[in-house]
Amino acid sequence: MIELSGISKTFGQTTVLDDINLKVKAGSRTAIVGPSGSGKTTLLRILAGFEIPDGGHITLGDKVLFDQNTFIPAHERGIGFVPQEGALFPHMKVGDNIAYGLKGSKEENHLRVAELMELVSLDTRLASHWPHEISGGQQQRVALARALAQKPALMLLDEPFSALDTGLRAATRKATADLLEQAGVASILVTHDQQEALSFASQIAVIRHGRFTQVGSPVDVYSQPVDEETALFLGDALIFPAQVNGGVARCCLGDISVNNPQHTGERRIMLRPEQLMITAAHQQPTAIISEVDFTGHLSTLTLTAPGWPMALQVKTLSQQHWQKGAPVNVAVNGHACVLAA
Ligand code: ADP
Ligand code: MG
């Protein structure tokens, strides 16, 4: 539905976006995830029409929004935008914030505001409150309601949940995802939070220094990252040397089949910690627990063995018998990913 190709943007000497390509299907959810300063906000502002790219083109459906000869202004794009912060007008009541930009009569707008508030699960009595009188989560939903009021085909969300506490963040994220799905609105969420990206979207794009390093389904990008930096950015990873041949990696944990057998020779491979099954060993242990960092639900175990080139640190479910010096067996579930050199 929306398609970007070859989008680039430079501020002064700094290249902030470099050859960005992306397709988003109607009604789908995409997350763009990357560290702070990687160009996420700039990309959303370009899509919304608040910033002009140096080159490339953008189409929404069969309508060209931007190319060499075209620039459709923000208010004609049919794209909703919930900015990172300062989304609400502080001098306008909640109801007026939502009604901003509605073109109907006073009565019509009043009804539409109530409808929109219900849609985002806000008590309609909050309409007469000032933005500073409601919680961060409620403010976020007001901003979303205001953007939905324009009936956009595409919604852009710039780190919309980052100001919320962990529990509320997950709940608001789920509610927003459900809401956008019901409304049939496609969305692009940008975030530096990998869990948020993986859970929100059906497509994720990893951005680094203004370039997409990888675009794919959350499961694919998580389990088959293209390189070490992408692997580590998306979560905990065990990365170690292996000799790869014929679809099998020979390494300190034994022989592990790999999911990208086209890479061969001396390589580095990656496993996610949840792929390791650690069990107490009575005879012939694979390794010894040399350290335990207990954090409640999860513990980080440092495992060592005489034949290993390095210690492995594995975050795993806590068990009472995980103690320093305990012998363990380590088995591997699933495939390893061979990382690009
Ligand atoms: P993110 O949202 O991923 O944190 P941004 O898109 O906000 O990243 O910024 C990417 C880079 O572009 C940063 O180095 C930032 O300083 C720079 N930048 C953003 N907007 C401007 C601007 N208007 N003028 C100059 N530099 C900018
Ligand atoms: Mg930003």
Side-chain angles (χ1 to χ4, degrees), residues 11 14 16 35-43 51 84:
F11 288 116
T14 320
V16 173
S36 175
S38 55
K40 304 183 298 295
T41 296
T42 305
L43 181 56
E51 204 82 68
Q84 195 160 359

Side-chain angles (χ1 to χ4, degrees), residues 318-334:
S318 296
Q319 305 264 1
Q320 284 181 354
H321 55 271
W322 292 158
Q323 284 175 8
K324 204 170 162 163
V328 292
N329 281 326
V330 183
V332 176
N333 257 335

Side-chain angles (χ1 to χ4, degrees), residues 3-329:
E3 188 165 347
L4 291 79
S5 60
I7 293 296
S8 58
K9 179 75 186 171
T10 308
F11 288 116
Q13 301 288 318
T14 320
T15 301
V16 173
L17 294 174
D18 186 9
D19 192 22
I20 295 286
N21 300 287
L22 186 71
K23 281 184 193 171
V24 171
K25 290 195 191 122
S28 71
R29 294 198 296 268
T30 293
I32 297 171
V33 61
S36 175
S38 55
K40 304 183 298 295
T41 296
T42 305
L43 181 56
L44 281 198
R45 288 176 52 79
I46 284 173
L47 278 171
F50 299 137
E51 204 82 68
I52 303 173
D54 300 338
H57 52 264
I58 306 174
T59 53
L60 180 63
D62 47 16
K63 191 165 137 194
V64 176
L65 299 183
F66 175 79
D67 67 12
Q68 257 180 330
N69 313 308
T70 322
F71 177 82
I72 306 291
H75 64 275
E76 290 172 19
R77 291 195 174 191
I79 294 178
F81 185 40
V82 179
Q84 195 160 359
E85 51 199 23
L88 302 184
F89 303 117
H91 58 282
M92 280 189 192
K93 298 260 176 82
V94 163
D96 296 332
N97 259 285
I98 297 173
Y100 184 83
L102 286 180
K103 298 201 174 67
S105 66
K106 211 171 166 203
E107 289 71 32
E108 282 166 353
N109 288 356
H110 189 78
L111 284 175
R112 180 83 179 118
V113 166
E115 202 177 278
L116 286 160
M117 289 184 80
E118 240 158 72
L119 194 65
V120 298
S121 309
L122 277 173
D123 187 333
T124 50
R125 285 172 298 190
L126 293 179
S128 57
H129 284 53
W130 295 103
H132 72 264
E133 292 174 329
I134 61 176
S135 72
Q138 289 168 334
Q139 288 178 25
Q140 210 57 60
R141 276 178 279 164
V142 173
L144 187 62
R146 187 179 62 193
L148 283 168
Q150 303 303 314
K151 300 202 168 130
L154 174 69
M155 183 70 81
L156 307 175
L157 304 158
D158 194 352
E159 313 233 11
F161 316 122
S162 57
L164 310 179
D165 305 337
T166 317
L168 186 61
R169 194 188 308 168
T172 309
R173 174 173 75 221
K174 174 88 175 62
T176 305
D178 291 348
L179 172 78
L180 292 167
E181 183 153 332
Q182 276 160 28
V185 179
S187 53
I188 301 178
L189 167 88
V190 311
T191 178
H192 65 272
D193 180 330
Q194 39 296 61
Q195 286 187 3
E196 186 156 294
L198 293 168
S199 123
F200 179 84
S202 54
Q203 166 174 257
I204 82 168
V206 182
I207 187 169
R208 199 157 71 219
H209 306 310
R211 282 183 152 266
F212 284 165
T213 61
Q214 199 167 3
V215 180
S217 75
V219 170
D220 285 353
V221 178
Y222 178 75
S223 60
Q224 297 177 49
V226 284
D227 56 24
E228 189 160 337
E229 212 171 328
T230 307
L232 292 169
F233 185 70
L234 291 174
D236 289 335
L238 293 159
I239 295 170
F240 43 90
Q243 181 71 37
V244 184
N245 233 316
V248 174
R250 181 150 291 180
C251 65
C252 61
L253 293 175
D255 286 357
I256 308 171
S257 54
V258 299
N259 52 22
N260 41 357
Q262 69 277 21
H263 301 301
T264 57
E266 294 275 339
R267 312 294 297 221
R268 287 166 74 72
I269 61 168
M270 183 216 71
L271 291 169
R272 293 297 179 186
E274 59 273 20
Q275 289 182 266
L276 293 201
M277 307 271 294
I278 300 166
T279 49
H282 303 294
Q283 290 160 358
Q284 298 185 320
T286 325
I288 300 289
I289 300 179
S290 60
E291 225 167 293
V292 183
D293 182 13
F294 172 74
T295 58
H297 178 59
L298 297 173
S299 294
T300 302
L301 307 181
T302 304
L303 305 177
T304 51
W308 289 3
M310 60 203 254
L312 285 186
Q313 290 203 318
V314 189
K315 206 182 268 175
T316 186
L317 291 176
S318 296
Q319 305 264 1
Q320 284 181 354
H321 55 271
W322 292 158
Q323 284 175 8
K324 204 170 162 163
V328 292
N329 281 326

